[in-house]
Amino acid sequence: QDEMLEYEEEEYEDEEEEYDPWSIWGDGFDFNKQREFWIPDEDLPEDIATDLQSTNEEIQLEATARRQLDPLKWDTFDYWEIYHYFACAKVFTSPRPVWSEQLFRDTRDLYHDFVENDDTSFIGLFRSTYQANDDVYDMSQNAIPYLSGGEKGRGLKAARDIKEGEVIFKATNNTIIFNDGQTLRKFLFAMNDRFSDPGMVCDILIWAWVQDMPCGTPFAGVVDLDNGNLLNDWGLGGSYEEQDYSANIRCKGAALSCYASKDIIEGEELLGDYSDFVSYYAWAELGL
């Protein structure tokens, strides 16, 4: 019997300020910040020099940011400094692939190695990073990844007909929680050291979010090391003012049980509402 979740449907009133799911990542790179570091033209790495001449304005702007980032001070980088240090704007000018299960498994293995060797295992009374729980859940029976194209890039669609109220996926032992920004920062750089594709760090950056936790530290960074991270917000790819509300998945609680808020047919795109679980503009609260 399919697992079901009892819930009460809530009414959501339109807010005066337009909701923007991209604000999950904060305000962006601060080009006005006074940075002492600057790579002169004669010392520019070849890739940055090439990007400075790019006809893509976003790549060119990112190269300007990268020449201001001192690699020796990586442990002070905020979210957007990490994003541009790894040239993520350039990475996302091309479609990113759906990760294989083996790649997720390798990343989870890296995480376990990282935890075993992490020298900041506790933040006060709480672990600096941990798995959400010990649960194992096969979401492939409900949702499958696909290349959705455009602004969304990748997404999820229903693997079968799903009834309203059915749990589609939830936090599991693949859901990783970081209680401080430095531990997440160290993990991202450890990923870059382990894997040859720098775009993997960029993927983790855009898949991660900040969540207000019911206990422990006030905010935590969260990321799924499985395909659950491919759930798109209902408004991505268009104007919120011009679209009807189309989320067909709602997520509840710190344990993030995500259920069908209406009947969903096989092959239909699964769309969530990031405001169910994301704390917007909160990376700075985590030290990023």
Side-chain angles (χ1 to χ4, degrees), residues 25-284:
W25 295 288
D27 295 317
F29 187 85
D30 183 2
F31 285 92
N32 295 318
K33 180 178 178 180
Q34 294 297 316
R35 296 180 176 86
E36 297 179 359
F37 188 77
W38 178 266
I39 305 175
D41 291 346
E42 60 270 20
D43 295 331
L44 279 172
E46 184 177 350
D47 61 330
I48 296 181
T50 299
D51 290 350
L52 284 169
Q53 303 302 316
S54 173
T55 57
N56 184 309
E57 184 176 349
E58 190 174 6
I59 293 176
Q60 189 180 104
L61 194 62
E62 177 172 74
T64 301
R66 292 172 65 199
R67 73 186 305 178
Q68 300 177 57
L69 299 174
D70 185 350
L72 297 180
K73 296 183 178 180
W74 65 271
D75 57 344
T76 67
F77 290 173
D78 64 23
Y79 179 96
W80 282 104
E81 288 170 337
I82 297 171
Y83 183 92
H84 290 306
Y85 181 80
F86 289 110
C88 294
K90 180 169 69 173
V91 165
F92 292 123
T93 58
S94 301
R96 289 289 297 161
V98 171
W99 284 27
S100 66
E101 178 51 40
Q102 183 61 53
L103 192 54
F104 277 122
R105 190 176 298 116
D106 291 343
T107 306
R108 293 193 292 265
D109 288 344
L110 166 66
Y111 174 76
H112 292 301
D113 292 342
F114 173 82
V115 170
E116 185 175 344
N117 295 289
D118 184 27
D119 58 1
T120 55
S121 56
F122 284 85
I123 304 298
L125 298 175
F126 303 97
R127 295 198 63 86
S128 60
T129 182
Y130 56 94
Q131 294 162 271
N133 52 55
D134 296 325
D135 293 348
V136 176
Y137 188 78
D138 181 13
M139 64 173 287
S140 65
Q141 61 185 319
N142 301 324
I144 54 177
Y146 80 112
L147 295 174
S148 53
E151 187 178 15
K152 296 178 183 178
R154 294 158 289 189
L156 293 173
K157 59 183 178 181
R160 58 177 177 83
D161 290 345
I162 300 171
K163 295 292 186 182
E164 179 179 353
E166 284 191 57
V167 171
I168 298 178
F169 53 87
K170 57 185 179 180
T172 67
N173 61 351
N174 294 337
T175 303
I176 308 303
I177 297 172
F178 294 89
N179 274 331
D180 75 314
Q182 177 64 353
T183 304
L184 175 54
R185 188 185 290 117
K186 287 164 61 177
F187 177 67
L188 293 169
F189 277 82
M191 279 191 65
N192 186 63
D193 290 340
R194 174 75 64 92
F195 301 108
S196 59
D197 177 11
M200 291 177 62
V201 173
C202 300
D203 284 338
I204 293 295
L205 274 170
I206 66 164
W207 289 338
W209 68 91
V210 179
Q211 186 171 330
D212 189 3
M213 305 303 284
C215 59
T217 54
F219 293 99
V222 186
V223 66
D224 291 317
L225 297 183
D226 58 30
N227 282 321
N229 53 47
L230 297 182
L231 177 67
N232 281 317
D233 185 87
W234 68 273
L236 291 179
S239 168
Y240 283 79
E241 293 180 337
E242 298 174 357
Q243 297 184 90
D244 293 330
Y245 187 82
S246 58
N248 52 19
I249 291 180
R250 302 306 300 267
C251 300
K252 297 186 68 172
L256 274 189
S257 290
C258 299
Y259 59 89
S261 57
K262 60 183 71 174
D263 289 344
I264 302 171
I265 62 173
E266 181 179 353
E268 184 178 346
E269 184 177 16
L270 300 178
L271 297 170
D273 186 333
Y274 287 172
S275 66
D276 283 345
F277 53 91
V278 170
S279 295
Y280 292 97
Y281 299 104
W283 282 112

